[in-house]
Each structure stands twice: as structure tokens, then as C-alpha cells.
Amino acid sequence: MKEELEKLFGEALGNLKVAGEESQVTQVRTEFLGRKGKITALLRGLANVSPEQRPIVGRLANEIKLSLEEKIRESLASIQARKRKERLLHEKLDITLPGRRVPTGRKHPISEVCNEVIEIFLGLGFQISEGPEIESDYYNFEALNIPKDHPARDMHDTFYISDEILLRTHTSPVQIRLMEKQEPPIQIIAPGKVFRCDSDVSHTPMFHQVEGLMVGDNITFGDLKGILTIFLHEMFGAKTKVRFRPSFFPFTEPSAEVDIACVMCQGNGCRVCSSSGWMEILGAGMVDPEVFRIVGYNPNEVVGFAFGLGIERIAMLKYGISDIRLFFENDMRFLGQF
Amino acid sequence: MRASLNWLKEYVDIDLTPVELADVLTMAGLEVESVIKIEEDLSHVVVGKVLSIKSHPNADKLSLCQVSIGDGTFPVVCGARNMKVGDKVPLALEGALLPNSMKIRKAGIRGEPSEGMMCSEEELGIGEDASGIMILEDDLVLGMDIVSALNLEDHVFDLNITPNRPDCLSIAGLAREVAAVTGKALKIPSIEVREEDGRVHDLTSVDVRDPELCPRYSARLISDVAIGPAPFWIRRRLESVGVRPICNVVDVTNYVLMAFGQPLHAFDFDLLSEKRIVVKRAKDGDTFATLDGLERTLQGDALMICDGEKPVAIGGIMGGLNSEVSVTTSNVLIESAYFDPSNIRKTSKKLGLQTEASYRFERGVDPEGVINALNITTRMIADLCDGKVAQGIIDQYPSPFLPKEIPLSIRRTNKILGTSLEKERVGRYLKAIELDNKNLDRDKLIVRVPPLRVDLNREIDLIEEVARLNGYDNIPTTTPLARVTSGRRSSAWVAEDKVKDVLISLGYYEVVNYSFISPKLITSLGVDVNHPFHKFIRIKNPLSEEQSIMRTTLIPGLLRTMKTNVYNKNSDLKLFEIGTVFFPNEEDKLPIEKRMLSALVTGLRYVEAWNFSGDEIDYYDIKGSLENLFRALDIRGCNFSCAGDIPYLHPGKSSTIMIGDTQIGFVGEVHSEVLENHDLSKTAHIFEIDFDLLVKHAFSEKKINLLSKYPPIYRDMALIVKEDVQSIDIYDAIIGCNNSLVKEILVFDVYEGEPIASGEKSLAYRIKYQSFKRTLTDQEVNKAHKKLVSKVLEDMGARIR
């Protein structure tokens, strides 16, 4: 009986090997293990086996049945796997067709750059402050040490609403408004729109500035250089060369213009930087004691610095834009590139 | 301001290249914007001397000259007649190519040989004079190349002098700075005036009636001057700094102005009635004809230079036609004065007249330099115009300016700059710019500042000079010790960022339009004059009518942006802007500023492609954007109600946006008439929201609901209702049933048309029933749903489809 069992097992395995379809495999199961199957039929004769041989043959029969079941499952699994693979191969997509992309918009480049500037200063501990876009002559000029008949007013081509009310020409009035209502220490930036009556390739009657102010009892010109150098390195890369040179603003003293090595020619001199190798990027200085006196601080105790930078200018350098007016035409062919 | 390098070198030795010098000046706070090289290509043109002049045998108008260049003599046939034997002239020899493209070669002219050409200024391209051969200074060396003989090569610096440094608005002033920073000596020539017969005090007088506006007025008289063109070198210098030559006397005053920064004026002395000067204020409404030929109306605070009976100049700004120096002039009175800066500025602004003189006076000239400039001018005019100088100077200077004495604390200097400079070093820096100083105490210097430095009045002004001379680059770069702050954005900034992010993710592009618009754009919205949009603020001095009022709404800007883009063939647009609008306030108060959020959509929802159908954007797209926005901002209780009467919106396709009882904005389709006004043919949808109100309602606190463990059951109902029934009414009716098992209501279909009768429409709802306590049975949901449906049918007068 042992021999017969092993022979049937061999026969079943042989059938499995050639079975290519699931039905052929299940047929093997029916033919050998089913109720009328060959192995089942053979095992009905187990009663006739001698009592000593019976457990041995029984165990063998069991092993063969389990083994055959296992082989049948494997066979089915491999046929199914093969068939799935064949099916998937038929379901191939043209994966190079464009996706079902829901179009997204973009921030205006001015917002983008302004946010970048703000992020850097927030990281340095500055807070955001704001003020009105239409200002009084007092906040825009007089409190900033620019009296009515001062030639420094020539530096600002001002739009007037009335003799005393105007469109702010810089974000500096925010300094005054803040210092009037808050004691030092102060560490703020003030982003916003400003206006000057000027219009050509490099001027628009409206543009954006970010003002900065840091006031305390122990702040130096060296600190001003430090903070602005960090900012410029964050903005334009750590290798950017920065220089500070003397200048004049009525509300700061000493005053400085800050230049970076020309981003177009890396400082070798080109048309963009008028061959100087440098580009003006912001104005800054130590707050003039007169301004402290005007807002009611004690100029002998309080020191601080202020700075102002033009967002459009930075955006133009960053993106290589030569005509500032593009920012306000809002042509999708322009906005779509950011 | 422009400065010539050749001129500068007259007052200070410079061994830097022009580029190096530009850098030195810039780093000293005198920003050089550009350096222009001036070159003349005049090879083969040399200094020659006329040895003989004979008439041409075959031509009446020509002459035959022999011209020597030292080591050779050339025959030259010449048409001009102004030269004499012995004159030195520019001679162009064979091989020369003149700027007017004339090539010089040996030739025969009417049978006589001519081996070169004597040239006029105009032919050499170095001046306007074409009247005859240029006659050169007698001391030039024969045969010398003309470019070096006339010093024609130069560099011109274009400087941006800040308003605090009027002392640098002259060549000598710049030279002083160059000397200070390079350590070279300043070479300002001292001048001696040869005085002749006649005492100035006998010949004329100066009466200053307003010493406050004219603290100093000095004058000299020169008689028998011969008016003519100034010598070439003066004209050349003036042109190099952008001043047009006029005649010798005027050119000298301009030359001294540019060289030393002191404005001067020459009057034709014989045209001054009573031969005297009176300085007094104008009478309101006086008119006066200035040198530029314009008739100007004056106000009472303008300071006038008058003669015995009438004004002859606007003090410090411009002279008058009635006393102008002309070819017939033979006696001149030279004025050198100091005027009050602020008054000059006022008058110049009122007249809209800025001159080289007013530019300097309003910033402040050196009151102590007045006499030196007068003497230099007098000497030059006397030399160049053969004039005779009367004895003495008139100098009305009742209260002289004294040097200021300012204490400077070294401790404070170092505290502000973050440096550790010693006192000796600081003292040395200040001496380099002619600020004498000595020790006051252990910490302080006392610094003597001459009146010429109008910008130095306080300790901080001196600290700036120390910083500047030390070099900003040599101040250590440090970082401040600061307190820790909360470093947080305000909720308005957070909201603004959030709004932008949401709209961008929905496909909207941010735009930035000008805050000023044309009043026509307000009219184009079809709003009447009482509408708030019409209560706009006007700019007094706009660049153009197009930008003359402050916007009261962002909508016109968006429509304009739409037009720009449609014109450029981009007609599928989703745009938004966050910006300020302005409204008038009570008098003397600043206007009211409101921040608005506006958007415009037009064209296709998606560009038609293999994967998208090309449907037009409609009201529900823009409404959906708003719903998304409110969801992202956690704004509750928001609803849209019929707007009806917004003039610029389609009356049937627009709504106001409410949060509770507060109206925060509107949304809808742009009225077709408005689109027509903007030459737009495609429809567009817009919204505008008060951004501050939006922020006020944003970020409401969230409470999270429990999640039910039991399955929901859905039931549908399709209703046929009158076409004017609104979806919100049915929604309200469903809510009105008060069934706590109803958890969601979804409109899944809206249909009008066959087989629904006209005047009716079908709305289909899917309702989600769910309990938090148990699994619902079909039977109980059916029962509840049936009850709900019959209540809705009854309330709405509807029937089941």
C-alpha cells in the first residue's frame, strides 16, 4: 500500500506540473483527494492493513495528503500570480500624458520678497508694526527732523492731499508713531506701501519699503552693521560682499548707504552697477538725537538704529528684472513666472 | 554735481587713477555715480605759428600762409582772415581726420600748394566758434600735439552730493575732502587785486534793509571792461561741468561759482539807476523779468536786489533782464553775498525756479568765503577783459558768523559707534578736515568748526565725521544684546497669509495695483454720486488724471488688470488683491483707511484639455472659493443673501456676504454695462470683502464633536418646486423638522427643463440619518424620512418628482 500511495503521489505531482489553468489544478485535487479520488479510494483499504503497519501507513498517507494539498495551493497561487501579472501588463497607461492638475495661483513677487524679508527679521527678534499710508506732514517729515524749508525735502517727491496731509514717502513715520506710544527697548520692522511722484524704468509712483528700528540703551553703529550684514547674507547668500559708506538722512546720524557686490557682474563692473561693482541696497543710520527728543525720549540715554529698504529693488536684483513697472502691470505672463 | 579731474588737480595733488579716486570719494560720503572719460581724437593736429600771410594770386577770398611747427614750415591756403602773423594756431597736417570727417592731405588749391589746414574750434569739435581760426595762447610750444597743449583729455565725475554738504558743491570743496582723506596738501591760490583810480565808496553804495535775509552783501566795481568771449580754457572748463559759456564777464562769475561754490552776479553798472544797490523785500504781486526772459510774479517774502528805483535781481536766485551784462556793457558791479538759506528755498519753490545759485544758497554757502570769491572774480575779469578795478570793497556784514565751538566726548563717540578710538586719533581725524580742536577734559575735546561746515552743529555731527574719517569699514561689525520677545505675527498678518495661501491653492494669482486711480473708473462702475465709492480723496499734484484719486474700491484695478491680460490673450483669469482703500475724514484728521480683499474670475474654469472640459466659470465657482476661504479661517455663521441693488453687479446673480448680522462684502457677476464701459466682452465675477471685519470673525474657537460608532443611513428626496424657490428655503424647511437624526443635507441635483413643466424646477436632496446611541433600523429611518418629506412638501408647496 505504501508503494501505491507513493506512486499516486508521484502521479499527482506530475499532473500538477503540467497544469496551466486553475481548473486543471482543481481537477488534480478531485482526482486524487476528492471523495471519489484515487488516494481516498486507496485509503479505504487501510482497514485491511496489518495492525502493526496501520499507524505507519496512516501517518504516511496523512503526510502525502498534506503535502499534496500544499503543492496544489502553491500551484494555484503561482497560476493566479502569473495571470494577474498578465492582466496588469495589459492595463498599461500612457504615463507621459499630463496629469489632472488643478491649477494653483501665485503670490505677487512683491509679497513673496516682502515675506522673505519679514521672516529674516522675525528670526532676529523683530516684531511687525504698521502705520497709515496717508500721513500728516508732521509724521512724514517734521518729526523726522525734516522741517518745512529743508533741502532734504528734495529727496522726496511728495504727493499732497492738502498742505498738511500727504501720501507717505517712506515707512519711517511708523518709527515715530511707535516711539510716541512705547518706551524702549524697541525692535520692529514696518513693511508697507510708499508713494513718490516719479515714474520711469526705475521708479514707480508707488512702491514698497520695509523700515527697521532698534532702540535701547546699548546699541551701536557696529550692531547696525552686524544686523544688516546678517540680513543681506540671508537674503543674497553668505558670500555676498557688503559695504557701508557715509550718506545723509535727516533722521539718522551717522547715516549710511549699504551696498552689496553687484549680483549681475559679481563686482567686476557692468552696466547695471554703472561699472562700480556695487549696488545700493538700503539706507540706514543711528537714530538722530533730535528724533528721540521729538518723541519724548532722553537723547542722552537712548541709542538706536534705523534702516529702510526697497522691496522692488531687492526683487529686481533677485529675479533679474530691469523694468520696475512690470510689478504693477500684473501681466499673467509675468506673474506666472514666480 | 559734475567735477572735472583736471580742474580738481589744480587744487590738490592726486596720484590715484580716476576709478580709485571715485572709490575714495564714495567711501568718504561723496557718492560718485559715474566717471566719464573725455577724449578727443585729434592726432596730427599740432600747435603752429603763422610766419607770413600773402594773398592768393588766383582767388580773392583766399590767402597763402606759411605756418611753422618748430622743426618744419608748411604752406597753407586759408579762407579765414582773423589770424595775424605771429599768432599760434591749431594746424592739422596730412593724416589728420577731423571730427567733421574731413581728411587732411597735401593738395593744390587754385594752383598753390597747401600742406595742412588751420582750424576753428568748431572744426576741431571742441567748441562752437566757427567764425575763424582758433587763436591759441602765446606760451604754447610749437609742434606740440593739440590734445596735450590744450589739456583736452579729462575725466568728469558725476557726484551725488547730499543736502548736508553744500561745502562740497565746488571743485575746491571737493579738493578739500580729497586732501583730507588722501593726506595731500590743499592748494588754494591766494589772489591779489590790482586796484586803480576811483574809490568804490565814492562811486556807489549798498543799503541792506533786511539783514536777516541778507546777512552779508559785498561788491566791487570794475570799469572799462571789454565784453567778448572768454578764453578757450574757461569755456572748456565750464562745459566740462555742464555750464554753457555766455561771455567773458558772466563766464568768470560762473567759473568762480563752480570753482569755489560762491554764487556771484555781475550787473551792468550803467543800467543801475542812481548807481546804487538796495536790498529789500518785494511787494506782494510785484512782477519782474528774469534773465531767462520770463515775467515772474513775486510775493512779499522774496528778497530783491534793487537799484535806486526798481528791482534788478531776485536775490540769490536770478538776475534781471534790465541790468544784464551785454556787448555794450563797459562798467560792471560784481555782487558776492550770503543769503538766508530757508528764505531762498521758499522763494525758489514758489517761483518754481532753481538755479546753480539758489541750489547753493538754500543749502548754505560759506559766509566767510564771500570776499575771497569776490576778489578772485574781480582779478579774473580785470585780467581777461582789460578792466580797471575801483579801490576798496563794499562789505555789508553787520553780524559776522563766528566759528562754532562744540564739545565732543570720546566716551560717547565710542559708545555710539561701538569703537575704542583714542582721543588723539579723534583729534587727528578732525584736524584733517580743518576742524581745530584741543583737550577740554580727560574725556572731551573742544572742536572749532568754521561757518563753512553748515552741517556741523552738535556733538553727533562730529561723531559722524569721526566715523566717516575712520572709515565705516573699520568699525567692528557686532550683534546687539537684545531681550527675548514673543516674536509673533499679529493675527491680521497671520490671516493675510492664510487668505493668500487658500486663494492661491484655489488657483488665484495675487496682483498689486496702484492705490490711485482715475475718477472715470469710479463712474464706470455705474454708481451715482452719493455712493460711498464716489466719496474719494483727490491728490493735489497727481502725475496724471489717470492716477489722481485714492481708490475707494479695488474693483476698478482688477477690471483694469483683466483688460491688460485679455489684451495679451490671457482670458482665463483668477485674480485677487489685498489692499487699502481710502475715504475722507473730518477736517484736519487723516483719512479713513480700510483694508479690502477683492477677487475677479473670468473665462474657463479649467483650460479645456484631454483631461478637463472647457466650462465657463460661474457664480458658484467664486462663491465656492469664498466658502473654502471661510472654512479655512474658521468663520462660522456666514451666509449669502440677495443683493438686488448693487449697481455694478448683475441683479439676479449677486449677493451680499453676511457674517451673522454684519455685512462684510458682496459677490456676483459684473454688470454687463460695467464690462462694456471697460471694453470687455467676456463676463466676469467679483467679490470684495472688508478685510478687517473678516479678520475680526476669523479663527473662532473649535470644539470637536464625538464620532458616532453606529452606521449612517441615507435617504433621497427629489422635489418639484416653483422656479423662484431658493435652495436655502428647502434647507431651512428640513432643519425646521427638528429631527435630531438628520446629520447632513446634500443637494445632489438641480434640474430645469423637460419633462419638468416650465416655471418649475427639480431639486434633489440626500439626507444622512445617524444616531450616537444605537444602530438605526430601516423602518424607523423610513418613518422619519416620510414624515420629513411630507412636512417639506407642505411647507414648500412642492411635490415629489
Side-chain angles (χ1 to χ4, degrees):
Chain A
M1 191 162 194
K2 252 167 84 181
E3 292 77 26
E4 278 179 74
L5 267 172
E6 270 158 7
K7 189 173 150 242
L8 281 176
F9 184 49
E11 190 185 334
L13 289 182
N15 286 0
L16 271 183
K17 207 170 255 174
V18 297
E21 292 294 329
E22 284 170 76
S23 58
Q24 289 169 321
V25 177
T26 43
Q27 204 197 319
V28 171
R29 179 185 278 144
T30 320
E31 191 180 335
F32 292 90
L33 299 175
R35 266 163 24 111
K36 292 176 183 167
K38 290 177 179 169
I39 292 178
T40 321
L42 183 67
L43 287 179
R44 281 200 196 100
L46 197 62
N48 302 330
V49 176
S50 64
E52 319 73 90
Q53 283 290 313
R54 207 176 294 155
I56 300 165
V57 175
R59 201 183 310 127
L60 178 69
N62 224 10
E63 281 169 11
I64 283 176
K65 272 167 81 176
L66 285 173
S67 173
L68 188 54
E69 274 295 351
E70 177 64 24
K71 294 286 179 196
I72 287 169
R73 271 198 302 276
E74 279 172 16
S75 180
L76 275 175
S78 96
I79 288 167
Q80 281 163 357
R82 194 193 74 232
K83 291 208 155 179
R84 181 182 291 124
K85 202 171 163 189
E86 281 168 7
R87 193 180 71 237
L88 292 181
L89 277 175
H90 279 289
E91 289 172 355
K92 205 170 175 184
L93 291 179
D94 177 359
I95 47 89
T96 64
L97 271 172
R100 206 164 280 118
R101 182 174 47 187
V102 178
T104 53
R106 286 282 182 283
K107 272 187 190 159
H108 195 278
I110 302 260
S111 290
E112 203 76 77
V113 172
C114 193
N115 273 356
E116 208 176 322
V117 171
I118 288 171
E119 283 305 326
I120 295 171
F121 283 108
L122 286 179
L124 292 169
F126 286 74
Q127 296 195 304
I128 302 176
S129 189
E130 288 180 279
E133 292 173 26
I134 298 190
E135 261 297 0
S136 65
D137 187 271
Y138 178 78
Y139 284 107
N140 195 73
F141 289 126
E142 287 190 40
L144 287 160
N145 199 24
I146 316 174
K148 279 254 156 60
D149 291 311
H150 197 281
R153 289 215 176 185
D154 284 355
M155 294 162 93
H156 301 246
D157 293 316
T158 312
F159 285 116
Y160 284 94
I161 300 296
S162 68
D163 288 347
E164 292 301 322
I165 295 179
L166 45 82
L167 305 193
R168 67 175 175 188
T169 58
H170 47 183
T171 39
S172 308
V174 180
Q175 288 183 28
I176 304 295
R177 290 183 174 274
L178 192 79
M179 285 193 283
E180 276 183 351
K181 58 173 193 231
Q182 190 183 317
E183 288 297 312
I186 284 178
Q187 200 183 351
I188 58 113
I189 47 167
K193 290 190 168 83
V194 300
F195 307 88
R196 297 195 190 175
C197 30
D198 205 350
S199 184
D200 58 38
V201 182
S202 45
H203 299 91
T204 43
M206 178 183 91
F207 55 102
H208 296 75
Q209 279 190 343
V210 174
E211 185 81 7
L213 177 70
M214 182 163 188
V215 177
D217 46 20
N218 238 334
I219 289 166
T220 67
F221 190 83
D223 294 338
L224 166 65
K225 285 180 68 181
I227 289 284
L228 292 180
T229 304
I230 292 174
F231 164 70
L232 291 168
H233 283 172
E234 288 284 327
M235 197 76 207
F236 293 101
K239 287 191 181 129
T240 308
K241 276 200 268 173
V242 178
R243 79 172 183 186
F244 292 75
R245 59 185 165 81
S247 189
F248 169 73
F249 306 105
F251 39 98
T252 53
E253 186 148 23
S255 300
E257 291 273 8
V258 188
D259 299 339
I260 57 169
C262 177
V263 295
M264 304 291 171
C265 63
Q266 276 71 47
N268 298 321
C270 67
R271 270 184 51 207
V272 177
C273 59
S274 329
S275 311
S276 70
W278 295 96
M279 312 188 89
E280 224 172 278
I281 198 80
L282 48 82
M286 301 305 287
V287 177
D288 194 291
E290 185 59 16
V291 173
F292 284 143
R293 197 191 57 73
I294 289 169
V295 298
Y297 286 1
N298 182 346
N300 297 320
E301 284 171 8
V302 174
V303 275
F305 62 73
F307 58 85
L309 54 92
I311 295 296
E312 281 80 357
R313 173 126 185 103
I314 292 180
M316 287 168 87
L317 293 182
K318 227 176 128 67
Y319 301 118
I321 297 164
S322 54
D323 186 344
I324 191 175
R325 293 170 295 199
L326 278 173
F327 289 117
F328 305 106
E329 277 164 17
N330 299 305
D331 188 325
M332 293 304 292
R333 294 171 301 172
F334 176 72
L335 297 180
Q337 291 183 50
F338 292 92
Chain B
M1 194 191 89
R2 291 167 71 174
S4 133
L5 182 58
N6 290 346
W7 201 344
L8 210 48
K9 280 179 172 169
E10 207 166 291
Y11 305 129
V12 63
D13 288 331
I14 293 171
D15 47 21
L16 303 170
T17 65
V19 171
E20 286 165 349
L21 179 63
D23 197 51
V24 163
L25 287 168
T26 297
M27 292 310 280
L30 306 166
E31 186 191 353
V32 175
E33 290 188 328
S34 63
V35 183
I36 302 150
K37 187 170 186 200
I38 296 188
E39 308 173 89
E40 306 291 349
D41 185 11
L42 290 172
S43 60
H44 300 98
V45 183
V46 299
V47 177
K49 182 177 178 175
V50 183
L51 296 181
S52 66
I53 306 174
K54 284 192 294 189
S55 46
H56 194 292
N58 306 321
D60 290 347
K61 292 192 172 159
L62 297 179
S63 50
L64 304 178
C65 306
Q66 290 292 324
V67 184
S68 160
I69 61 164
D71 56 359
T73 303
F74 297 87
V76 176
V77 174
C78 179
R81 302 203 163 269
N82 66 314
M83 66 286 176
K84 315 184 296 287
V85 170
D87 277 350
K88 287 195 175 159
V89 293
L91 180 66
L93 294 170
E94 180 168 38
L97 175 64
L98 300 181
N100 59 7
S101 302
M102 187 187 279
K103 258 191 188 143
I104 307 300
R105 48 176 183 265
K106 292 182 183 171
I109 298 175
R110 299 263 181 126
E112 292 293 330
S114 184
E115 297 184 3
M117 182 175 118
M118 293 184 279
C119 305
S120 69
E121 285 178 18
E122 195 258 345
E123 284 161 335
L124 293 175
I126 57 174
E128 287 173 8
D129 191 351
S131 65
I133 304 302
M134 180 178 187
I135 309 298
L136 303 175
E137 303 285 316
D138 213 32
D139 55 1
L140 297 182
V141 179
L142 287 188
M144 195 177 184
D145 137 63
I146 200 77
V147 171
S148 20
L150 295 178
N151 218 356
L152 294 177
E153 256 178 26
D154 201 355
H155 287 83
V156 172
F157 295 84
D158 198 354
L159 292 127
N160 178 14
I161 305 291
T162 51
N164 59 325
R165 294 302 303 274
D167 60 300
C168 291
L169 292 173
S170 68
I171 307 292
L174 290 173
R176 191 181 300 112
E177 284 288 309
V178 173
V181 290
T182 60
K184 304 275 181 189
L186 190 62
K187 307 180 290 184
I188 301 292
S190 63
I191 288 293
E192 215 175 288
V193 181
R194 284 188 316 275
E195 297 175 341
E196 303 192 27
D197 288 346
R199 292 169 25 133
V200 70
H201 288 98
D202 298 339
L203 300 168
T204 186
S205 70
V206 171
D207 175 10
V208 178
R209 303 245 173 101
D210 201 328
E212 206 175 298
L213 298 189
C214 177
R216 188 170 199 179
Y217 194 104
S218 69
R220 270 186 182 272
L221 264 184
I222 311 168
S223 52
D224 297 335
V225 295
I227 304 294
F232 174 74
W233 64 272
I234 289 191
R235 288 182 280 128
R236 179 83 181 170
R237 286 249 163 111
L238 288 179
E239 279 171 348
S240 74
V241 297
V243 177
R244 202 170 56 86
I246 294 167
C247 71
N248 47 12
V249 169
V250 175
D251 290 354
V252 167
T253 61
N254 283 334
Y255 183 87
V256 176
L257 164 65
M258 289 298 160
F260 300 100
Q262 170 66 46
L264 299 126
H265 188 64
F267 294 98
D268 184 327
F269 187 58
D270 299 312
L271 296 177
L272 298 181
S273 64
E274 300 175 20
K275 301 266 194 282
R276 64 192 185 98
I277 294 287
V278 179
V279 182
K280 61 180 185 191
R281 289 180 195 232
K283 281 207 277 297
D284 256 341
D286 276 358
T287 59
F288 181 69
T290 41
L291 278 175
D292 53 8
L294 294 180
E295 186 83 6
R296 301 184 180 268
T297 306
L298 301 163
Q299 288 179 11
D301 47 8
L303 188 73
M304 302 304 291
I305 312 302
C306 307
D307 60 14
E309 60 185 25
K310 60 180 187 298
V312 290
I314 305 175
I317 300 179
M318 192 179 265
L321 279 176
N322 59 9
S323 55
E324 188 185 12
V325 170
S326 67
V327 279
T328 60
T329 301
S330 60
N331 302 311
V332 291
L333 181 140
I334 308 296
E335 162 202 293
S336 179
Y338 176 88
F339 296 105
D340 173 59
S342 137
N343 189 257
I344 293 287
R345 183 171 168 79
K346 258 188 234 162
T347 307
S348 151
K349 278 266 144 182
K350 277 182 191 157
L351 293 173
L353 177 60
Q354 192 178 60
T355 58
E356 294 283 357
S358 73
Y359 189 79
R360 285 168 179 78
F361 279 128
E362 70 178 32
R363 283 162 172 73
V365 302
D366 178 13
E368 291 296 303
V370 164
I371 297 299
N372 191 40
L374 178 62
N375 285 340
I376 296 170
T377 310
T378 307
R379 168 70 189 270
M380 285 176 75
I381 292 177
D383 288 355
L384 299 171
C385 319
D386 295 327
K388 297 192 188 74
V389 181
Q391 287 170 20
I393 298 181
I394 291 178
D395 186 12
Q396 300 291 355
Y397 191 24
S399 21
F401 285 76
L402 298 172
K404 297 162 267 192
E405 303 227 309
I406 305 167
L408 172 64
S409 158
I410 306 304
R411 199 179 44 77
R412 186 153 173 83
T413 304
N414 284 323
K415 179 177 154 70
I416 287 178
L417 299 181
T419 47
S420 43
L421 300 169
E422 303 103 36
K423 204 171 172 194
E424 289 64 38
R425 182 120 161 244
V426 171
R428 231 176 25 248
Y429 283 151
L430 295 174
K431 283 213 168 88
I433 49 168
E434 299 176 354
L435 303 180
D436 272 342
N437 56 82
K438 53 179 190 272
N439 285 338
L440 185 66
D441 57 33
R442 276 190 60 183
D443 173 48
K444 291 197 183 80
L445 291 172
I446 183 90
V447 183
R448 203 176 153 85
V449 179
L452 125 109
R453 287 302 301 267
V454 294
D455 58 323
L456 305 182
N457 300 299
R458 303 167 300 165
E459 183 180 56
I460 192 71
D461 302 330
L462 296 175
I463 293 174
E464 180 172 58
E465 289 302 290
V466 173
R468 197 167 70 84
L469 294 161
N470 182 68
Y472 282 10
D473 281 350
N474 297 323
I475 294 174
T477 300
T478 52
T479 45
L481 291 172
R483 294 183 196 180
V484 172
T485 63
S486 74
R488 208 181 129 98
R489 290 161 181 249
S490 65
S491 62
W493 273 92
V494 176
E496 187 170 323
D497 269 0
K498 189 108 189 183
V499 166
K500 286 182 183 176
D501 287 345
V502 170
L503 289 174
I504 285 163
S505 71
L506 294 172
Y508 289 74
Y509 278 81
E510 188 189 11
V511 302
V512 179
N513 279 303
Y514 287 129
S515 299
F516 18 65
I517 58 172
S518 162
K520 281 198 205 111
L521 290 181
I522 298 294
T523 319
S524 79
L525 294 180
V527 292
D528 67 41
V529 287
N530 294 318
H531 192 278
F533 286 174
H534 258 293
K535 308 274 179 264
F536 49 71
I537 294 164
R538 216 170 248 289
I539 298 171
K540 267 173 74 180
N541 55 333
L543 284 177
S544 69
E545 180 68 9
E546 296 300 300
Q547 301 182 340
S548 62
I549 64 161
M550 300 307 290
R551 59 184 178 181
T552 47
T553 161
L554 307 187
I555 300 302
L558 291 175
L559 287 169
R560 203 203 59 128
T561 305
M562 172 175 166
K563 197 175 163 186
T564 307
N565 283 292
V566 168
Y567 180 80
N568 289 320
K569 304 278 178 259
N570 278 311
S571 46
D572 305 324
L573 300 167
K574 285 176 146 186
L575 311 168
F576 78 98
E577 178 169 12
I578 297 177
T580 312
V581 295
F582 306 85
F583 298 96
N585 202 345
E586 292 162 48
E587 206 161 335
D588 299 333
K589 277 197 178 165
L590 290 182
I592 296 162
E593 298 188 9
K594 275 164 83 174
R595 206 186 304 221
M596 305 305 279
L597 161 65
S598 303
L600 179 147
V601 293
T602 179
L604 301 180
R605 185 173 302 135
Y606 301 118
V607 174
E608 186 167 15
W610 79 274
N611 47 5
F612 287 114
S613 61
D615 297 328
E616 292 276 334
I617 277 186
D618 63 24
Y619 171 85
Y620 298 106
D621 288 289
I622 195 163
K623 181 179 177 182
S625 299
L626 281 168
E627 288 165 336
N628 272 321
L629 190 62
F630 298 149
R631 168 88 181 80
L633 292 173
D634 298 318
I635 291 174
R636 308 252 171 76
C638 189
N639 60 70
F640 295 78
S641 37
C642 280
D645 58 348
I646 299 177
Y648 40 92
L649 296 181
H650 187 304
K653 299 182 181 175
S654 58
S655 51
T656 54
I657 306 163
M658 312 288 293
I659 298 176
D661 294 334
T662 316
Q663 182 183 327
I664 63 160
F666 57 80
V667 55
E669 183 180 315
V670 179
H671 198 292
S672 53
E673 204 175 308
V674 174
L675 292 169
E676 272 166 36
N677 290 340
H678 284 263
D679 280 331
L680 291 166
S681 54
K682 262 197 161 166
T683 183
H685 289 80
I686 54 174
F687 70 72
E688 183 156 73
I689 290 177
D690 184 319
F691 188 75
D692 298 320
L693 283 177
L694 187 74
V695 173
K696 213 173 110 186
H697 289 91
F699 307 124
S700 57
E701 275 188 33
K702 284 182 216 181
K703 288 275 184 291
I704 301 304
N705 288 325
L706 289 175
L707 311 181
S708 173
K709 286 181 282 188
Y710 305 99
I713 291 179
Y714 293 90
R715 289 291 179 268
D716 293 352
M717 81 176 163
L719 307 173
I720 292 177
V721 293
K722 294 232 161 52
E723 73 181 348
D724 58 358
V725 169
Q726 292 191 313
S727 143
I728 186 88
D729 302 330
I730 297 170
Y731 179 88
D732 287 344
I734 296 171
I735 296 294
C737 293
N738 249 334
N739 186 331
S740 63
L741 297 178
V742 173
K743 292 290 183 290
E744 268 173 34
I745 304 162
L746 175 77
V747 187
F748 72 85
D749 190 39
V750 177
Y751 181 76
E752 276 174 86
E754 287 293 325
I756 311 282
S758 79
E760 289 186 326
K761 65 181 174 185
S762 156
L763 288 165
Y765 290 82
R766 179 158 301 151
I767 296 164
K768 174 177 160 184
Y769 295 90
Q770 193 173 33
S771 162
F772 277 89
K773 293 182 194 131
R774 64 202 154 78
T775 303
L776 298 175
T777 63
D778 273 349
Q779 289 94 319
E780 67 180 316
V781 171
N782 287 347
K783 202 175 145 199
H785 186 64
K786 198 174 163 193
K787 196 174 153 198
L788 184 140
V789 171
S790 60
K791 174 91 165 56
V792 170
L793 292 179
E794 190 188 323
D795 286 0
M796 303 307 304
R799 61 182 193 281
I800 290 289
R801 184 177 176 184

